[in-house]
Amino acid sequence: MEIRRRRLGLGAVLTMGALIAGTLIGGVTNASVAGVVGPSAASAALTDEDGGGYGGGGGQVGADEGAAFAMTNATAGNRIVRYQRSSGGTLNRVGSTSTRGLGIGVDLDTQGPLRLSANHKFLYAVNAGSDDVTVFAVNGTGLRFVQKVYAGDDPVSLTVHGSVLYVLDGSVASNSIRGFSVAADGTLRPIDGSIQPLSSPVAVPGDIEFSPDGSLILVTQKTTANTLSPTIAIDAFTVNARGVASKAKRNESAGIRPFSLAFRNNHQALVVESFDASAGRSAVSSYDVSNRNLRVNSKSVPSSQTDACWIVITHDGHFAFIANFGSGTISSYRIQDNGSIDLQRATAASTGATSQPVDLAQTADSKYLYLLLRGTGGVASFAVNGGALTPLGINIGGLPVADGASGLAVY
């Protein structure tokens, strides 16, 4: 098993004494892979556009096509790798663009470090190594640098709703959320009074997500805080009309090491639990959400997989897909109308023993699902049919191999 240690992550947290009982562990098991698309002579010649214009001249896409963006998170200079998405769901790598910031070179260990605006006109990327967020304007597959703004110590995850964006800072020194207003041109401006600490000073957070109506934010905490009650928690914040978040309300997590989450609607949410990467123990819980209160609906429904971390819910709200870092697989769950969940397929897809899946993204209509593979430096594509997945191939190239790639966004 591989120990995933981040800057100011577990090593720094353990110096805080008995407050922390959790560990950050990941690994891989045996699996299979098919449909790999490797580098070609054409892809080797791809240009990297870092000037003031759109990378690749704008990279226009057809009405049924789109784009995907993956982040290198490299210490020498963070970059966004750009792909054209065909009408059939496959990806073609077209280039990369600098964020003008720095990554940290190891897995960010969070969901959502790369986010698209709802209209797909802007892309937001965290630079955890230089403590800022980069804003790009999007034109097809092209990216044009718009702004880079300070975002606190170790920004690791983002969530956007309308004209408000919140950043999750993951270091012990910061360990908080902070809000920004989003202008019509995509630029960010700090919202006065929006910075709020998490309920634990050493939470090692995994994800920040707005509710669909923008009135609530949830943040998962991957550590166990023995001096706090409850010891394993999910923080909830209300957000007012000015975009200012309330103080955190600490809610009990149904399972150990809640990592990522997704809202089904304004009143229901699913949370992925890795159970400290214990072999075969990963699970998902569903909650009814009211104001800042979470009530368990389905408690820790197991998948038999290892180190589950990332989640997306299909547009119709009927299915959830979970990426399992340790197993190199994707699991699927069925969501009932009342919010309860059942395991649909423990292995809906398998991407290989060393693939190390680290982020999921889907098209707006949920016809296609994409998986970032840190271990092999690729992005896997799938067609979605209910809770089943059909592999469409893996595009390899442009991303570091087993060296910290984090973040995936698709339209």
Side-chain angles (χ1 to χ4, degrees), residues 48-51 53-59 82 94 96-97 139 141-144:
D48 294 335
E49 301 287 343
D50 298 327
Y54 287 99
R82 300 177 284 110
V94 296
S96 72
T97 304
N139 181 18
T141 62
L143 297 177
R144 175 175 57 82

Side-chain angles (χ1 to χ4, degrees), residues 113-350:
L114 195 62
R115 297 281 193 181
L116 279 163
S117 61
N119 60 10
H120 311 143
K121 290 184 177 180
F122 302 102
L123 181 71
Y124 301 91
V126 302
N127 299 301
S130 52
D131 297 336
D132 43 48
V133 168
T134 298
V135 182
F136 292 102
V138 179
N139 181 18
T141 62
L143 297 177
R144 175 175 57 82
F145 178 86
V146 172
Q147 181 192 32
K148 190 174 69 171
V149 59
Y150 175 74
D153 190 20
D154 199 19
V156 292
S157 181
L158 304 168
T159 188
V160 186
H161 182 273
S163 61
V164 178
L165 177 146
Y166 262 82
V167 177
L168 176 63
D169 290 330
S171 78
V172 175
S174 189
N175 210 47
S176 61
I177 67 172
R178 62 178 63 214
F180 294 83
S181 61
V182 182
D185 63 357
T187 55
L188 303 177
R189 186 175 67 180
I191 298 174
D192 291 341
S194 68
I195 300 174
Q196 292 289 354
L198 302 182
S199 64
S200 167
V202 284
V204 189
D207 190 12
I208 181 171
E209 298 287 348
F210 263 116
S211 61
D213 66 0
S215 67
L216 186 75
I217 285 174
L218 296 182
V219 174
T220 56
Q221 299 188 15
K222 295 179 293 185
T223 55
T224 301
N226 289 330
T227 64
L228 298 176
S229 180
T231 57
I232 305 171
I234 301 165
D235 279 351
F237 307 80
T238 55
V239 182
N240 67 20
R242 296 188 297 111
V244 178
S246 69
K247 292 183 178 180
K249 166 85 182 292
R250 190 174 177 86
N251 288 268
E252 183 173 11
S253 170
I256 297 171
R257 196 175 179 236
F259 186 101
S260 64
L261 68 103
F263 278 89
R264 182 177 186 242
N265 54 41
N266 291 328
H267 309 292
Q268 296 170 351
L270 273 62
V271 177
V272 176
E273 301 152 355
S274 76
F275 278 83
D276 291 337
S278 298
R281 289 199 63 195
S282 290
V284 178
S285 292
S286 65
Y287 296 85
D288 287 332
V289 183
S290 177
N291 198 5
R292 292 187 301 163
N293 301 307
L294 274 64
R295 181 178 64 82
V296 177
N297 193 334
S298 294
K299 181 176 181 179
S300 297
V301 179
S303 65
S304 77
Q305 303 297 292
T306 301
D307 207 5
C309 295
W310 291 267
I311 180 173
V312 295
I313 294 177
T314 55
H315 177 70
D316 62 11
H318 292 158
F319 295 95
F321 291 100
I322 317 301
N324 306 300
F325 181 91
S327 301
T329 59
I330 300 175
S331 299
S332 63
Y333 283 77
R334 174 82 189 201
I335 310 172
Q336 305 301 327
D337 289 343
N338 65 1
S340 63
I341 59 173
D342 302 288
L343 180 67
Q344 185 82 359
R345 288 174 171 82
T347 305
S350 180

Side-chain angles (χ1 to χ4, degrees), residues 5-6 8-16:
R5 295 180 183 270
R6 295 185 49 245
L8 292 179
L10 182 61
V13 169
L14 289 176
T15 64
M16 303 294 287

